[in-house]
Amino acid sequence: HRLAVHFTCNTPFNTMTQSAHDLLTSGDGKLSLHYFSIEGVAEQVRITLSVAGIPFDDIRVPFSEWQTKKATTKYGQLPEMILPNGQLITESMAMLRLAGEADPEGKLYPA
């Protein structure tokens, strides 16, 4: 499968040559998902990553720390997904599509 989705990121990448699975698993770091300790819009992404077998750090931001964390986010909001190569994704539906396309069995997102 090839990734053909537009999402907000801080560095460009070639979506025609890099698979969704590679984007989520390749790089110097580890995939991380930052959101509050509630289900909200990130829960579907968490579930999809888990079903697809993609390891990730589930960073739960306590509401008591939100004001401090807010100043460090790109748009002053969550969720944020940081890819292993450092790229930032800020749209939850783009995160969901990327996670679905990364499913090695192809069950979560149709080709």
Side-chain angles (χ1 to χ4, degrees):
H1 301 282
R2 297 285 179 216
L3 179 66
V5 61
H6 173 76
F7 49 80
T8 305
C9 64
N10 58 3
T11 54
F13 59 89
N14 186 343
T15 61
M16 297 308 290
T17 60
Q18 194 168 24
S19 74
H21 190 272
D22 288 346
L23 281 171
L24 295 178
T25 59
S26 301
D28 295 331
K30 184 175 180 184
L31 177 67
S32 63
L33 179 62
H34 300 250
Y35 196 62
F36 303 107
S37 192
I38 61 173
E39 292 176 359
V41 297
E43 189 68 7
Q44 56 195 357
V45 179
R46 291 179 186 126
I47 292 169
T48 304
L49 288 169
S50 295
V51 170
I54 304 295
F56 69 103
D57 287 332
D58 187 9
I59 310 297
R60 306 280 180 127
V61 179
F63 287 112
S64 61
E65 298 175 13
W66 171 234
Q67 287 307 312
T68 303
K69 172 76 174 169
K70 184 176 183 175
T72 69
T73 64
K74 184 164 183 163
Y75 297 111
Q77 63 188 26
L78 294 176
E80 286 189 334
M81 177 184 276
I82 301 173
L83 302 180
N85 65 8
Q87 294 173 329
L88 176 68
I89 302 173
T90 58
E91 297 293 330
S92 61
M93 292 307 292
M95 294 173 198
L96 182 61
R97 180 171 178 176
L98 181 61
E101 286 190 7
D103 174 26
E105 295 180 25
K107 298 179 300 187
L108 299 176
Y109 196 84

